[in-house]
Amino acid sequence: MTGDISDDDAARILVPAAVDDDVVRPRLLARLTAAMDEPWTLTLVTAPAGAGKTRLLTHWARAVGSDADTEVVWVSFQRHDTDLSLLRSALESIDDERLGESLARVPIWPSADAARSLARALRGTDRRIVIIFDDVHVIETREHADMLWTFVQAVPGNAHVVLSGRGTRLIPVARRRIAGIALELDNGDLAFTPGEVRAFFRASGLRVSQGEITLILQRTEGWAAGLRLMVLAGQEHPHTADHPLRGDAPALVDYFLEEVFADLDDELSAFLLETSVPEAFTLELAYRLSDGAPAAAFVERLIHLNVLMGRHGDAPVWYHYHPLLREFLLARLKDRGHAVVEHVEKTAAEWFAEQHDDLPALRHAMQSCDPVCISVILRRCGMQLILTGHADRVIEAIGRMPPPLRSDPAVQMLIAAAELARGDASTAAAVLATLRDHDGSAASRQWQTGLDLHTALRRGGIAEALDRLGSAFDAFTGESQLDTYAFLQAAMGELYVGRLDRAERYARSAADQARAVGAVAAELQASAVLNTSALFRGRMRDVLASGARLDGRWSELGNPDDSFYEVTRVWRHWVPYERLHSVDAEPTLRAAVSIIDDGSEPAIARGLRGLIALLNAPDADDPHAAAITMLENLAPRADMPLPAHWYAMLSTFAVHAFDRLGEPNLRDAFIADTAQALGATGDVIVLRAIAALHDHRHALARETLAPVLDGSSPCLVPASMVDAWLVASALDVHGGDSDRAQASLAVALSLAETEEHVRRFGGADPAVIRLLGARATAATRTRFADVVRDRLAAAGMLVGEELTHRERIVLLALSRNSTLRQIAQQEFISPNTVKTHVRNIYRKLGVSDRESVTAAAHALGIE
């Protein structure tokens, strides 16, 4: 019967020819083939135009058709088709006598009964029959759809049917889904993977990097037609990233007009344009954007038509258009005039503001180009945007407002807050100067109080600002965003001046308020204050535990870039550094500096650069340059304030580093700067005592240290007391009082044990290190003392070997000035054996002369 049809119709029952640069997709071909072995006889392939359905099925048809026991029948529908005559013609072309006899008994008139008989006729062959119906979405009549569906339902087990198209429209597949379908491929399944994208471009002679593949997938979402257009663009412009495909490109405009808009009436077209304004929309938002159109019904129709759109989320469901389609739709919307665009953008801005989704609200307000709309949204969402880390967007939006609106005091305070968040204290101070005489509401006064302190945190004078403001922060105004901001600045100010109890109280209030209003950046900053306060108190276990909880919360918030969160990550590397674990903190510190340098915390970035310099000091090629870098970044500066406890925590390590670098003058300059910043605290006294001990001014060191040891000069950080007692132990060794030296060392070990301040021992005087290594007393033989020795030994700071009994006897004789021959005679051993013992003693004690041996013997209590 194939001779009875036209040449055009004959072409529609042939498997399409493969294209030379087509990409074979094994993962999908394997799924299609596996479906043939399922107990069900139907596969559905439904996706929008250009998704690659026909090309995929062409490859598959040729693959399965290469089997001698399998026949592939292909039927492409067109809009004018009304029956299954083409299918009958295709089946009659199969060279199978028994099948031909069965088909001859099937009635030729078009009806559901004839379709059922046509399906049953397939039982007449022993071969497997695969029937692919392409473009089933063009079926226009219910009768035609019923015939096809009757045929599909009646096919025997030796046949497998594939329905392919942009949708099934009139074909009632819903019940069949319940009964069972072998396989269903949709747009998501047909989307190209990164590996397939690479192969797709390579087939056309183009090579793309991983970064370009990511960009391509962002633009096309793996849509085959979009990829093909990008290949064409890539052949003209080798660097795909420099010439991204746009939805308003002429080729895509023609495509969308023909393939998308051709099936839409005016109402649905208008709905499509209006809902393209937001990146995604809910049914409620769509109802507002379309001025009350039946959004649910329209979305259902678009889905049924398989327009390029996706959905995500649940309660509510969010819908979004393909990026390229959305660009095309936005261009078409602009063609309707500025007034239409402004109306839709303002509607979107108002809706997102009502949902407290502030960034989209501001974005749509700015896209509306209506200064009044921008002003309304900024007043409603501006402070929240600053608290969530979007100060740049606030400044950009304010820049689009006319001067009369910008001069409003509330807008001016927004400018000041945003500039402070961006790190520009000078601009903020100039703005605040114009508001000094403004007598606003309680909320405005709270806001201005927070701005005053925020400025001090940037420029210095924090203590003075806190004294001036007094208890202004203690009251809630009821404006959650402003209370969050004010409490946050108060927490930071109190942390910087060292009042940790007050800092923690304000930080908890700020964190509670921030969580209530969804202020991500403010919540992370408040959590960072609490984490940092725990570190300054010396509670290193709490630092690690709260840091782990903060990691979880950071992940819940979407892993935002946040400078204060990065600081807490630094602390979690500082704790192992203090404990002398083998942890390389430098990569994390460098990552933190790069993030903070890009943000708005130059003082914190400076401090972290100093911390890196401190870590790098032991391996410095140029000791003087390394010491200069440490001084420039670690010494306190009034115009770049950092917490007092920060300097107290780091200063001991810095002083030891200056000494190891051979830079006593720079060390003394550092101590003087630190003393000016911290005042007469015990931490500063300890620094001066360490410097005097290193310079062999033992009497001065003991006199300097006395107020710390007797408790009259308390320290800011608990670990400074460990340093103090290590200095005391060294002075006792050099003074020849071994019992007192051991007692001082025992106090240092006891103070360090709770939080494992092991690194402090690594900077101690060599005499104390030898005392610790000798294990001469019960205090130096505890579990924690063993931990200290093991970690010092692993770091190369201690030779972890004890003196043998014979070596201790020889050491005692050496301390009494006995000669080697005298020792040999006393112990009845040869002089060479004595020499071996002496070499081992020198190595284990880390000494090189008889005088040092005598001092070590006294320190070890060997007398």
Side-chain angles (χ1 to χ4, degrees), residues 33-54:
T33 301
M36 294 172 59
D37 296 325
E38 293 290 333
W40 303 285
T41 57
L42 175 62
T43 288
L44 294 178
V45 181
T46 54
K53 304 179 293 296
T54 299

mmCIF file with all atom_site columns, all heavy atoms in Angstrom, residues 33-54:
data_model
loop_
_atom_site.group_PDB
_atom_site.id
_atom_site.type_symbol
_atom_site.label_atom_id
_atom_site.label_alt_id
_atom_site.label_comp_id
_atom_site.label_asym_id
_atom_site.label_entity_id
_atom_site.label_seq_id
_atom_site.pdbx_PDB_ins_code
_atom_site.Cartn_x
_atom_site.Cartn_y
_atom_site.Cartn_z
_atom_site.occupancy
_atom_site.B_iso_or_equiv
_atom_site.pdbx_formal_charge
_atom_site.auth_seq_id
_atom_site.auth_comp_id
_atom_site.auth_asym_id
_atom_site.auth_atom_id
_atom_site.pdbx_PDB_model_num
ATOM 1   N N   . THR A 1 33 ? 16.369 1.260  25.468 1.00 0.00 ? 33 THR A N   1
ATOM 2   C CA  . THR A 1 33 ? 16.485 -0.170 25.151 1.00 0.00 ? 33 THR A CA  1
ATOM 3   C C   . THR A 1 33 ? 16.019 -1.025 26.318 1.00 0.00 ? 33 THR A C   1
ATOM 4   O O   . THR A 1 33 ? 15.315 -2.029 26.137 1.00 0.00 ? 33 THR A O   1
ATOM 5   C CB  . THR A 1 33 ? 17.944 -0.499 24.794 1.00 0.00 ? 33 THR A CB  1
ATOM 6   O OG1 . THR A 1 33 ? 18.343 0.303  23.671 1.00 0.00 ? 33 THR A OG1 1
ATOM 7   C CG2 . THR A 1 33 ? 18.102 -1.979 24.450 1.00 0.00 ? 33 THR A CG2 1
ATOM 8   N N   . ALA A 1 34 ? 16.412 -0.611 27.535 1.00 0.00 ? 34 ALA A N   1
ATOM 9   C CA  . ALA A 1 34 ? 16.002 -1.379 28.709 1.00 0.00 ? 34 ALA A CA  1
ATOM 10  C C   . ALA A 1 34 ? 14.491 -1.381 28.874 1.00 0.00 ? 34 ALA A C   1
ATOM 11  O O   . ALA A 1 34 ? 13.904 -2.367 29.357 1.00 0.00 ? 34 ALA A O   1
ATOM 12  C CB  . ALA A 1 34 ? 16.669 -0.794 29.966 1.00 0.00 ? 34 ALA A CB  1
ATOM 13  N N   . ALA A 1 35 ? 13.821 -0.310 28.458 1.00 0.00 ? 35 ALA A N   1
ATOM 14  C CA  . ALA A 1 35 ? 12.360 -0.230 28.593 1.00 0.00 ? 35 ALA A CA  1
ATOM 15  C C   . ALA A 1 35 ? 11.657 -1.290 27.760 1.00 0.00 ? 35 ALA A C   1
ATOM 16  O O   . ALA A 1 35 ? 10.525 -1.695 28.081 1.00 0.00 ? 35 ALA A O   1
ATOM 17  C CB  . ALA A 1 35 ? 11.875 1.161  28.187 1.00 0.00 ? 35 ALA A CB  1
ATOM 18  N N   . MET A 1 36 ? 12.289 -1.763 26.691 1.00 0.00 ? 36 MET A N   1
ATOM 19  C CA  . MET A 1 36 ? 11.667 -2.785 25.841 1.00 0.00 ? 36 MET A CA  1
ATOM 20  C C   . MET A 1 36 ? 11.498 -4.106 26.574 1.00 0.00 ? 36 MET A C   1
ATOM 21  O O   . MET A 1 36 ? 10.676 -4.936 26.177 1.00 0.00 ? 36 MET A O   1
ATOM 22  C CB  . MET A 1 36 ? 12.505 -2.988 24.583 1.00 0.00 ? 36 MET A CB  1
ATOM 23  C CG  . MET A 1 36 ? 12.530 -1.778 23.665 1.00 0.00 ? 36 MET A CG  1
ATOM 24  S SD  . MET A 1 36 ? 13.723 -1.986 22.317 1.00 0.00 ? 36 MET A SD  1
ATOM 25  C CE  . MET A 1 36 ? 13.093 -3.464 21.524 1.00 0.00 ? 36 MET A CE  1
ATOM 26  N N   . ASP A 1 37 ? 12.285 -4.301 27.645 1.00 0.00 ? 37 ASP A N   1
ATOM 27  C CA  . ASP A 1 37 ? 12.200 -5.547 28.388 1.00 0.00 ? 37 ASP A CA  1
ATOM 28  C C   . ASP A 1 37 ? 11.255 -5.446 29.585 1.00 0.00 ? 37 ASP A C   1
ATOM 29  O O   . ASP A 1 37 ? 11.093 -6.409 30.330 1.00 0.00 ? 37 ASP A O   1
ATOM 30  C CB  . ASP A 1 37 ? 13.592 -5.966 28.880 1.00 0.00 ? 37 ASP A CB  1
ATOM 31  C CG  . ASP A 1 37 ? 14.525 -6.278 27.719 1.00 0.00 ? 37 ASP A CG  1
ATOM 32  O OD1 . ASP A 1 37 ? 14.040 -6.810 26.708 1.00 0.00 ? 37 ASP A OD1 1
ATOM 33  O OD2 . ASP A 1 37 ? 15.735 -5.978 27.837 1.00 0.00 ? 37 ASP A OD2 1
ATOM 34  N N   . GLU A 1 38 ? 10.646 -4.275 29.766 1.00 0.00 ? 38 GLU A N   1
ATOM 35  C CA  . GLU A 1 38 ? 9.679  -4.116 30.845 1.00 0.00 ? 38 GLU A CA  1
ATOM 36  C C   . GLU A 1 38 ? 8.359  -4.813 30.457 1.00 0.00 ? 38 GLU A C   1
ATOM 37  O O   . GLU A 1 38 ? 8.101  -5.050 29.275 1.00 0.00 ? 38 GLU A O   1
ATOM 38  C CB  . GLU A 1 38 ? 9.421  -2.627 31.093 1.00 0.00 ? 38 GLU A CB  1
ATOM 39  C CG  . GLU A 1 38 ? 10.616 -1.863 31.644 1.00 0.00 ? 38 GLU A CG  1
ATOM 40  C CD  . GLU A 1 38 ? 10.932 -2.253 33.073 1.00 0.00 ? 38 GLU A CD  1
ATOM 41  O OE1 . GLU A 1 38 ? 9.998  -2.681 33.797 1.00 0.00 ? 38 GLU A OE1 1
ATOM 42  O OE2 . GLU A 1 38 ? 12.108 -2.153 33.478 1.00 0.00 ? 38 GLU A OE2 1
ATOM 43  N N   . PRO A 1 39 ? 7.510  -5.112 31.434 1.00 0.00 ? 39 PRO A N   1
ATOM 44  C CA  . PRO A 1 39 ? 6.226  -5.779 31.114 1.00 0.00 ? 39 PRO A CA  1
ATOM 45  C C   . PRO A 1 39 ? 5.238  -4.866 30.402 1.00 0.00 ? 39 PRO A C   1
ATOM 46  O O   . PRO A 1 39 ? 4.215  -5.339 29.918 1.00 0.00 ? 39 PRO A O   1
ATOM 47  C CB  . PRO A 1 39 ? 5.702  -6.208 32.493 1.00 0.00 ? 39 PRO A CB  1
ATOM 48  C CG  . PRO A 1 39 ? 6.381  -5.303 33.468 1.00 0.00 ? 39 PRO A CG  1
ATOM 49  C CD  . PRO A 1 39 ? 7.733  -4.998 32.892 1.00 0.00 ? 39 PRO A CD  1
ATOM 50  N N   . TRP A 1 40 ? 5.502  -3.561 30.354 1.00 0.00 ? 40 TRP A N   1
ATOM 51  C CA  . TRP A 1 40 ? 4.598  -2.626 29.701 1.00 0.00 ? 40 TRP A CA  1
ATOM 52  C C   . TRP A 1 40 ? 5.107  -2.290 28.303 1.00 0.00 ? 40 TRP A C   1
ATOM 53  O O   . TRP A 1 40 ? 6.319  -2.324 28.039 1.00 0.00 ? 40 TRP A O   1
ATOM 54  C CB  . TRP A 1 40 ? 4.467  -1.348 30.533 1.00 0.00 ? 40 TRP A CB  1
ATOM 55  C CG  . TRP A 1 40 ? 3.992  -1.674 31.926 1.00 0.00 ? 40 TRP A CG  1
ATOM 56  C CD1 . TRP A 1 40 ? 2.754  -2.028 32.319 1.00 0.00 ? 40 TRP A CD1 1
ATOM 57  C CD2 . TRP A 1 40 ? 4.813  -1.702 33.106 1.00 0.00 ? 40 TRP A CD2 1
ATOM 58  N NE1 . TRP A 1 40 ? 2.704  -2.274 33.667 1.00 0.00 ? 40 TRP A NE1 1
ATOM 59  C CE2 . TRP A 1 40 ? 3.963  -2.083 34.182 1.00 0.00 ? 40 TRP A CE2 1
ATOM 60  C CE3 . TRP A 1 40 ? 6.163  -1.466 33.373 1.00 0.00 ? 40 TRP A CE3 1
ATOM 61  C CZ2 . TRP A 1 40 ? 4.428  -2.213 35.490 1.00 0.00 ? 40 TRP A CZ2 1
ATOM 62  C CZ3 . TRP A 1 40 ? 6.626  -1.591 34.675 1.00 0.00 ? 40 TRP A CZ3 1
ATOM 63  C CH2 . TRP A 1 40 ? 5.764  -1.963 35.710 1.00 0.00 ? 40 TRP A CH2 1
ATOM 64  N N   . THR A 1 41 ? 4.210  -1.943 27.435 1.00 0.00 ? 41 THR A N   1
ATOM 65  C CA  . THR A 1 41 ? 4.560  -1.790 26.015 1.00 0.00 ? 41 THR A CA  1
ATOM 66  C C   . THR A 1 41 ? 4.586  -0.345 25.542 1.00 0.00 ? 41 THR A C   1
ATOM 67  O O   . THR A 1 41 ? 4.575  -0.087 24.339 1.00 0.00 ? 41 THR A O   1
ATOM 68  C CB  . THR A 1 41 ? 3.535  -2.565 25.165 1.00 0.00 ? 41 THR A CB  1
ATOM 69  O OG1 . THR A 1 41 ? 2.216  -2.058 25.464 1.00 0.00 ? 41 THR A OG1 1
ATOM 70  C CG2 . THR A 1 41 ? 3.603  -4.054 25.448 1.00 0.00 ? 41 THR A CG2 1
ATOM 71  N N   . LEU A 1 42 ? 4.641  0.618  26.487 1.00 0.00 ? 42 LEU A N   1
ATOM 72  C CA  . LEU A 1 42 ? 4.562  2.021  26.087 1.00 0.00 ? 42 LEU A CA  1
ATOM 73  C C   . LEU A 1 42 ? 5.697  2.826  26.713 1.00 0.00 ? 42 LEU A C   1
ATOM 74  O O   . LEU A 1 42 ? 5.968  2.716  27.911 1.00 0.00 ? 42 LEU A O   1
ATOM 75  C CB  . LEU A 1 42 ? 3.218  2.628  26.518 1.00 0.00 ? 42 LEU A CB  1
ATOM 76  C CG  . LEU A 1 42 ? 3.040  4.137  26.263 1.00 0.00 ? 42 LEU A CG  1
ATOM 77  C CD1 . LEU A 1 42 ? 3.107  4.442  24.766 1.00 0.00 ? 42 LEU A CD1 1
ATOM 78  C CD2 . LEU A 1 42 ? 1.733  4.635  26.868 1.00 0.00 ? 42 LEU A CD2 1
ATOM 79  N N   . THR A 1 43 ? 6.355  3.647  25.883 1.00 0.00 ? 43 THR A N   1
ATOM 80  C CA  . THR A 1 43 ? 7.334  4.629  26.335 1.00 0.00 ? 43 THR A CA  1
ATOM 81  C C   . THR A 1 43 ? 6.864  6.009  25.883 1.00 0.00 ? 43 THR A C   1
ATOM 82  O O   . THR A 1 43 ? 6.409  6.168  24.742 1.00 0.00 ? 43 THR A O   1
ATOM 83  C CB  . THR A 1 43 ? 8.730  4.329  25.759 1.00 0.00 ? 43 THR A CB  1
ATOM 84  O OG1 . THR A 1 43 ? 9.265  3.169  26.407 1.00 0.00 ? 43 THR A OG1 1
ATOM 85  C CG2 . THR A 1 43 ? 9.684  5.503  25.969 1.00 0.00 ? 43 THR A CG2 1
ATOM 86  N N   . LEU A 1 44 ? 6.974  7.007  26.787 1.00 0.00 ? 44 LEU A N   1
ATOM 87  C CA  . LEU A 1 44 ? 6.613  8.384  26.468 1.00 0.00 ? 44 LEU A CA  1
ATOM 88  C C   . LEU A 1 44 ? 7.870  9.244  26.456 1.00 0.00 ? 44 LEU A C   1
ATOM 89  O O   . LEU A 1 44 ? 8.690  9.162  27.381 1.00 0.00 ? 44 LEU A O   1
ATOM 90  C CB  . LEU A 1 44 ? 5.631  8.948  27.497 1.00 0.00 ? 44 LEU A CB  1
ATOM 91  C CG  . LEU A 1 44 ? 4.233  8.323  27.572 1.00 0.00 ? 44 LEU A CG  1
ATOM 92  C CD1 . LEU A 1 44 ? 3.433  8.985  28.691 1.00 0.00 ? 44 LEU A CD1 1
ATOM 93  C CD2 . LEU A 1 44 ? 3.514  8.482  26.248 1.00 0.00 ? 44 LEU A CD2 1
ATOM 94  N N   . VAL A 1 45 ? 7.995  10.064 25.413 1.00 0.00 ? 45 VAL A N   1
ATOM 95  C CA  . VAL A 1 45 ? 9.078  11.050 25.343 1.00 0.00 ? 45 VAL A CA  1
ATOM 96  C C   . VAL A 1 45 ? 8.415  12.402 25.083 1.00 0.00 ? 45 VAL A C   1
ATOM 97  O O   . VAL A 1 45 ? 7.989  12.682 23.955 1.00 0.00 ? 45 VAL A O   1
ATOM 98  C CB  . VAL A 1 45 ? 10.094 10.722 24.235 1.00 0.00 ? 45 VAL A CB  1
ATOM 99  C CG1 . VAL A 1 45 ? 11.211 11.756 24.208 1.00 0.00 ? 45 VAL A CG1 1
ATOM 100 C CG2 . VAL A 1 45 ? 10.665 9.312  24.430 1.00 0.00 ? 45 VAL A CG2 1
ATOM 101 N N   . THR A 1 46 ? 8.270  13.203 26.140 1.00 0.00 ? 46 THR A N   1
ATOM 102 C CA  . THR A 1 46 ? 7.585  14.492 26.001 1.00 0.00 ? 46 THR A CA  1
ATOM 103 C C   . THR A 1 46 ? 8.503  15.599 26.488 1.00 0.00 ? 46 THR A C   1
ATOM 104 O O   . THR A 1 46 ? 9.002  15.560 27.619 1.00 0.00 ? 46 THR A O   1
ATOM 105 C CB  . THR A 1 46 ? 6.287  14.518 26.820 1.00 0.00 ? 46 THR A CB  1
ATOM 106 O OG1 . THR A 1 46 ? 6.579  14.175 28.181 1.00 0.00 ? 46 THR A OG1 1
ATOM 107 C CG2 . THR A 1 46 ? 5.286  13.523 26.266 1.00 0.00 ? 46 THR A CG2 1
ATOM 108 N N   . ALA A 1 47 ? 8.722  16.586 25.648 1.00 0.00 ? 47 ALA A N   1
ATOM 109 C CA  . ALA A 1 47 ? 9.599  17.716 25.983 1.00 0.00 ? 47 ALA A CA  1
ATOM 110 C C   . ALA A 1 47 ? 9.306  18.852 25.020 1.00 0.00 ? 47 ALA A C   1
ATOM 111 O O   . ALA A 1 47 ? 8.716  18.642 23.949 1.00 0.00 ? 47 ALA A O   1
ATOM 112 C CB  . ALA A 1 47 ? 11.070 17.292 25.895 1.00 0.00 ? 47 ALA A CB  1
ATOM 113 N N   . PRO A 1 48 ? 9.705  20.083 25.383 1.00 0.00 ? 48 PRO A N   1
ATOM 114 C CA  . PRO A 1 48 ? 9.442  21.218 24.505 1.00 0.00 ? 48 PRO A CA  1
ATOM 115 C C   . PRO A 1 48 ? 10.153 21.083 23.160 1.00 0.00 ? 48 PRO A C   1
ATOM 116 O O   . PRO A 1 48 ? 11.032 20.229 22.964 1.00 0.00 ? 48 PRO A O   1
ATOM 117 C CB  . PRO A 1 48 ? 10.008 22.409 25.290 1.00 0.00 ? 48 PRO A CB  1
ATOM 118 C CG  . PRO A 1 48 ? 10.048 21.950 26.709 1.00 0.00 ? 48 PRO A CG  1
ATOM 119 C CD  . PRO A 1 48 ? 10.330 20.487 26.646 1.00 0.00 ? 48 PRO A CD  1
ATOM 120 N N   . ALA A 1 49 ? 9.774  21.951 22.256 1.00 0.00 ? 49 ALA A N   1
ATOM 121 C CA  . ALA A 1 49 ? 10.414 21.972 20.938 1.00 0.00 ? 49 ALA A CA  1
ATOM 122 C C   . ALA A 1 49 ? 11.909 22.212 21.104 1.00 0.00 ? 49 ALA A C   1
ATOM 123 O O   . ALA A 1 49 ? 12.345 22.974 21.962 1.00 0.00 ? 49 ALA A O   1
ATOM 124 C CB  . ALA A 1 49 ? 9.795  23.084 20.084 1.00 0.00 ? 49 ALA A CB  1
ATOM 125 N N   . GLY A 1 50 ? 12.679 21.531 20.265 1.00 0.00 ? 50 GLY A N   1
ATOM 126 C CA  . GLY A 1 50 ? 14.113 21.736 20.279 1.00 0.00 ? 50 GLY A CA  1
ATOM 127 C C   . GLY A 1 50 ? 14.855 20.995 21.360 1.00 0.00 ? 50 GLY A C   1
ATOM 128 O O   . GLY A 1 50 ? 16.044 21.227 21.571 1.00 0.00 ? 50 GLY A O   1
ATOM 129 N N   . ALA A 1 51 ? 14.179 20.094 22.084 1.00 0.00 ? 51 ALA A N   1
ATOM 130 C CA  . ALA A 1 51 ? 14.838 19.375 23.173 1.00 0.00 ? 51 ALA A CA  1
ATOM 131 C C   . ALA A 1 51 ? 15.676 18.202 22.689 1.00 0.00 ? 51 ALA A C   1
ATOM 132 O O   . ALA A 1 51 ? 16.397 17.586 23.477 1.00 0.00 ? 51 ALA A O   1
ATOM 133 C CB  . ALA A 1 51 ? 13.795 18.875 24.173 1.00 0.00 ? 51 ALA A CB  1
ATOM 134 N N   . GLY A 1 52 ? 15.570 17.847 21.408 1.00 0.00 ? 52 GLY A N   1
ATOM 135 C CA  . GLY A 1 52 ? 16.373 16.749 20.869 1.00 0.00 ? 52 GLY A CA  1
ATOM 136 C C   . GLY A 1 52 ? 15.672 15.417 20.862 1.00 0.00 ? 52 GLY A C   1
ATOM 137 O O   . GLY A 1 52 ? 16.317 14.370 20.783 1.00 0.00 ? 52 GLY A O   1
ATOM 138 N N   . LYS A 1 53 ? 14.331 15.432 20.896 1.00 0.00 ? 53 LYS A N   1
ATOM 139 C CA  . LYS A 1 53 ? 13.573 14.179 20.939 1.00 0.00 ? 53 LYS A CA  1
ATOM 140 C C   . LYS A 1 53 ? 13.789 13.356 19.669 1.00 0.00 ? 53 LYS A C   1
ATOM 141 O O   . LYS A 1 53 ? 14.109 12.164 19.722 1.00 0.00 ? 53 LYS A O   1
ATOM 142 C CB  . LYS A 1 53 ? 12.066 14.476 21.110 1.00 0.00 ? 53 LYS A CB  1
ATOM 143 C CG  . LYS A 1 53 ? 11.716 15.312 22.320 1.00 0.00 ? 53 LYS A CG  1
ATOM 144 C CD  . LYS A 1 53 ? 10.230 15.583 22.412 1.00 0.00 ? 53 LYS A CD  1
ATOM 145 C CE  . LYS A 1 53 ? 9.738  16.486 21.278 1.00 0.00 ? 53 LYS A CE  1
ATOM 146 N NZ  . LYS A 1 53 ? 10.323 17.837 21.297 1.00 0.00 ? 53 LYS A NZ  1
ATOM 147 N N   . THR A 1 54 ? 13.577 13.997 18.510 1.00 0.00 ? 54 THR A N   1
ATOM 148 C CA  . THR A 1 54 ? 13.638 13.272 17.237 1.00 0.00 ? 54 THR A CA  1
ATOM 149 C C   . THR A 1 54 ? 15.038 12.732 16.987 1.00 0.00 ? 54 THR A C   1
ATOM 150 O O   . THR A 1 54 ? 15.201 11.587 16.535 1.00 0.00 ? 54 THR A O   1
ATOM 151 C CB  . THR A 1 54 ? 13.203 14.198 16.090 1.00 0.00 ? 54 THR A CB  1
ATOM 152 O OG1 . THR A 1 54 ? 11.847 14.622 16.326 1.00 0.00 ? 54 THR A OG1 1
ATOM 153 C CG2 . THR A 1 54 ? 13.268 13.474 14.750 1.00 0.00 ? 54 THR A CG2 1
#
